[in-house]
Amino acid sequence: MLLTPIPTDWILGLTGGLMIGGASALLLLGNGRILGASGILGGLVDGTGSNNAGERAVFLLGLIGAPALAVWVFGRPESHITGNLALLAVAGVLVGLGTRLANGCTSGHGVSGMSRFSPRSIVSTLIYLGVGFATFYVGRHIAGAF
Amino acid sequence: MRNVISLSAGAIFGLGLLISGMTDTAKVQGWLDLAGNWDPTLAFVLGGAILPMALAWRIAARRKIAVTGEAIPAMPAQVIDARLVGGSALFGIGWALAGFCPGPAIAVLAWGGAPALVFGLAMVGGMLAFAGLERLRSRVALPA
C-alpha cells in the first residue's frame, strides 16, 4: 500500500488502462485498425481475416509474449482461475460465440467503440455489463456455484 | 512497419492487462460482485483506456489516414439487432462465469496452466461455432 488513501490497485488499474488505451491508439493511428481482441483472434480462427493474417498473428504474439516475459522476470501473478474445467469450457464457448455475434468485446466495444460514442458499442457494453452483474449475482449469491 | 506497430500494440496491450489486474479473475469477478465485496478497479481500467482513445479518435478525424497510409475505419452502420443484443448477453454470461474476457484470456495462456488452456480452446471453439452458423445461414439464404 502507498501512503496515500488511494488503493494501489486503483492506481495500477488506471496505469494499465492508460496502456490499454495507448495500445489501441497506436494500432488505430499507426495501422488504421481497431484493437479488438475477439475480432483479431476470431478473424484468424475462421479465416475472415486471412488478408492480414500476419498482422493479426504478430499482435497475438505480442499479447502473449510481453506479459509472459514480464511474468518470467518479475514472478507469476495470481490469476485465481477456477479449477472447474467444465465451467471454464462452458464460459469459454459463450465468450467466443457471444463476442463474434456481437462483433466485439471489452476492448473493441468497451474501449475503442465507447470512446468514439458508437451507439452499438454503448448498447453492447451496457448489456454485457448488466448480464455480467446479474449472472454473477445468481451464480454466487443464489446458486452458490462459485 | 505494419507488423512492428501491430506487435508493439499487442505487447503494450498485454502488459496493460497484466498491470491493471485484468488477468486476475478475482479482480474481474470482484467488479461484478455488486452485492458482495465490490471491487471498483475495473472502472479505473476502462476509464483509463478510454481517455487516450478518445484523443486518438479526435486526431483520426482530422488526419483521415493512419501513419502507414491505411484509411481510418469509418463508423460501422448503427444497427441494433438481435445479434448484437444476444451476442453481448452470451458474452456477459461467460465473462461472469469465468472472469475472463478475450484479451486477458489470451494474455494469461503463458502462465495460467491447464485451466487457462481449457478456457482458451473453448473460446476458439465458440468462435468456430459462430463461423459454422454463418456458413449455415448463407447456405439456407436467410435474410441478414
Side-chain angles (χ1 to χ4, degrees):
Chain A
M1 274 304 199
L2 298 178
L3 294 174
T4 59
I6 305 169
T8 312
D9 280 5
W10 297 7
I11 296 168
L12 289 174
L14 189 65
T15 308
L18 287 167
M19 291 173 70
I20 293 165
S24 307
L26 175 64
L27 203 61
L28 178 72
L29 298 176
N31 283 0
R33 294 269 181 257
I34 294 191
L35 195 163
S38 59
I40 291 172
L41 174 64
L44 275 184
V45 167
D46 64 20
T48 51
S50 55
N51 59 330
N52 51 19
E55 276 174 44
R56 292 168 187 267
V58 291
F59 177 88
L60 295 178
L61 185 70
L63 171 53
I64 296 176
L69 200 64
V71 165
W72 183 58
V73 173
F74 298 107
R76 181 192 299 245
E78 195 48 76
S79 52
H80 296 105
I81 309 176
T82 175
N84 185 339
L85 298 184
L87 182 70
L88 282 172
V90 171
V93 169
L94 290 173
V95 168
L97 178 62
T99 52
R100 291 300 277 159
L101 277 171
N103 204 23
C105 58
T106 341
S107 47
H109 279 315
V111 176
S112 289
M114 294 255 287
S115 61
R116 80 191 300 198
F117 303 104
S118 157
R120 270 175 62 85
S121 293
I122 294 169
V123 167
S124 174
T125 303
L126 290 176
I127 290 173
Y128 69 69
L129 278 175
V131 172
F133 287 134
T135 304
F136 194 82
Y137 181 79
V138 172
R140 169 157 297 177
H141 299 289
I142 296 179
F146 45 80
Chain B
M1 182 64 178
R2 295 187 63 88
N3 284 332
V4 173
I5 290 171
S6 205
L7 179 71
S8 309
I12 298 167
F13 180 54
L15 290 175
L17 291 172
L18 176 66
I19 288 168
S20 63
M22 294 301 97
T23 55
D24 182 351
T25 59
K27 295 296 292 177
V28 175
Q29 292 188 320
W31 156 263
L32 293 174
D33 194 7
L34 288 177
N37 190 13
W38 187 60
D39 181 344
T41 304
L42 196 139
F44 288 89
V45 182
L46 198 56
I50 284 175
L51 281 176
M53 263 316 270
L55 187 66
W57 281 121
R58 291 183 71 93
I59 297 170
R62 266 207 315 275
R63 288 183 47 102
K64 306 271 198 294
I65 57 162
V67 175
T68 52
E70 190 93 8
I72 297 294
M75 183 88 94
Q78 290 295 327
V79 192
I80 312 287
D81 53 8
R83 286 167 67 109
L84 182 77
V85 173
S88 303
L90 292 180
F91 168 41
I93 295 171
W95 187 43
L97 292 180
F100 280 131
C101 51
I106 299 166
V108 83
L109 282 173
W111 73 93
L117 201 60
V118 167
F119 185 89
L121 286 174
M123 184 168 76
V124 168
M127 290 175 167
L128 285 172
F130 163 79
L133 287 174
E134 285 287 277
R135 272 199 302 276
L136 203 65
R137 206 177 57 151
S138 65
R139 197 172 302 158
V140 295
L142 284 178

